[in-house]
Structure formats: structure tokens, C-alpha cells
Amino acid sequence: MKSEQYEAIIEGILFAMGESVELARLAEVLELELEQVRMILHKMIMRYEQEDRGIQIIEIEDAVQLCTKKELYEYLIKIAKQPKRQVLTDVLLETLSIIAYKQPITKLEIEKIRGVSSAHSVNKLVEYNLVCELGRLDAPGRPLLFGTTEEFLRCFGVQSIEELPTLNQDQLEEFRQQAEEEMNLKLNV
């Protein structure tokens, strides 16, 4: 089979699925080696960019997905009227960042870090499909463990959790001092 035929098959699969498809699964279906599939996909990605197409193939961990380019969002709004767009408040962003960096993590552990109840925040993040239940901790009460989803990776434009920025020790110390100052202000009020 020619490379163009494989490209057409991959494009058709990605379009029909509407969500990410694992590279290993594509290789299995196409009866090709994983590296051959990667080469075909990278050729497709480059061609889509060169032709300035309205769609793109994005990589998410060991999977790929066909998506509309971000630059076209305003046109999607016009045609779809009101696409569902969630607003992440500071509280939600704080909770999401704790989950992203500490996953898998329980609600109790999140609450220990934040110092307040986090049930509503975690539930909202699950509703927005940015966070999901990963299972249960093998401990008394068997609390739920939470982690981020593929949607989280898509929304924040990273292929994997390892690509999240890391904080240096100076930033961590500064954040700790700010938190202590806030606590002192609250105690003095």
C-alpha cells in the first residue's frame, strides 16, 4: 500500500473517532511497525501545516487526535452559537494545579494542602472533564484517587504531565512566605 493510502486511512479513523487514538492501535490496524506510523503521522502533520489547513493532528502522550486549529475558534462560535466553555476560577485553578502535580491524590490530601474543603472544586473539575477518578487508595475508607485527563493535556497544550513547568526552590520559598503572611493576616483579623 502507498503512503498516501495509509494517510487517508489514518485521517478517516481520526475524523470518525473524534477523540485521541493510541499510536499502537493505529499500528495494529494498519499492520505496520510503530515507527512507520510515526513517520506517516509526522508527514501528515507537516503537510497540514504547509497547506495551512483548518485542521491539525495533535499528539497527546502516545496517541494522536484530529482537531480544529485554535485560530478558527471565533468562527466555530459563530456557527455553533454558544459552545460550552468553562471558566476556571482561581479556586479551580489552584485545585487543578495541586491535582496535576501531586496525582494520584485524594480529596483529603488536596484539602490538607489548600486548608479548606475542596469537594466542590474537585466535582467541578470532574464535570469539566479535566480531572477523573483513577481508582481507590488502599487505606481505611478506600478514598478515591484523582488525576488529570487527556482533556486537561489538550486544554493546556502539553503532550504529557512531564511537560508541566517545574518550580525552582526560590519560587517555592517565595510562595511559602506569601502563604505564611496570608495566614498571619487572617489570624490577626
Side-chain angles (χ1 to χ4, degrees):
M1 207 181 295
K2 293 182 179 178
S3 178
E4 292 81 19
Q5 291 171 308
Y6 286 121
E7 289 181 26
I9 294 167
I10 291 171
E11 187 176 61
I13 289 170
L14 295 178
F15 176 77
M17 293 303 294
E19 56 188 36
S20 67
V21 177
E22 292 180 10
L23 293 175
R25 187 76 176 116
L26 282 175
E28 180 183 320
V29 168
L30 296 172
E31 299 177 353
L32 294 173
E33 295 295 320
L34 195 57
E35 279 310 308
Q36 290 174 293
V37 172
R38 285 185 205 276
M39 287 174 46
I40 294 168
L41 281 164
H42 285 288
K43 182 178 172 186
M44 291 173 71
I45 289 168
M46 296 300 292
R47 194 176 79 243
Y48 283 20
E49 286 176 16
Q50 289 170 350
E51 295 175 2
D52 198 24
R53 307 266 299 265
I55 55 175
Q56 63 183 355
I57 296 174
I58 61 168
E59 298 177 68
I60 304 168
E61 292 184 337
D62 291 326
V64 289
Q65 182 173 0
L66 191 63
C67 299
T68 304
K69 283 186 173 177
K70 293 177 192 171
E71 299 85 35
L72 303 178
Y73 187 70
E74 68 182 276
Y75 300 102
L76 292 175
I77 290 173
K78 290 177 185 176
I79 197 118
K81 302 289 184 227
Q82 279 292 345
K84 187 177 179 183
R85 186 172 184 148
Q86 297 87 11
V87 176
L88 295 179
T89 63
D90 289 345
V91 170
L92 291 178
L93 279 172
E94 178 182 300
T95 306
L96 182 58
S97 63
I98 291 168
I99 294 169
Y101 282 98
K102 299 283 191 178
Q103 64 185 304
I105 188 169
T106 65
K107 280 184 192 174
L108 181 62
E109 291 170 316
I110 296 166
E111 290 169 356
K112 281 183 183 176
I113 294 169
R114 290 194 62 233
V116 296
S117 174
S118 299
H120 176 74
S121 299
V122 172
N123 291 341
K124 260 313 187 198
L125 292 169
V126 169
E127 179 183 321
Y128 291 167
N129 195 27
L130 296 172
V131 169
C132 67
E133 296 175 5
L134 298 177
R136 293 191 173 272
L137 184 65
D138 190 17
R142 308 224 349 111
L144 289 169
L145 290 167
F146 293 92
T148 55
T149 62
E150 276 190 7
E151 184 64 20
F152 167 82
L153 298 175
R154 261 190 295 283
C155 288
F156 288 89
V158 293
Q159 290 184 23
S160 70
I161 293 301
E162 287 76 35
E163 287 185 18
L164 291 176
T166 56
L167 296 174
N168 65 39
Q169 287 303 320
D170 293 337
Q171 288 173 312
L172 287 173
E173 181 60 27
E174 184 181 329
F175 291 152
R176 188 187 62 72
Q177 287 175 352
Q178 288 174 355
E180 285 177 0
E181 287 171 15
E182 281 184 34
M183 289 301 293
N184 288 335
L185 285 175
K186 288 179 183 177
L187 293 174
N188 294 330
V189 172

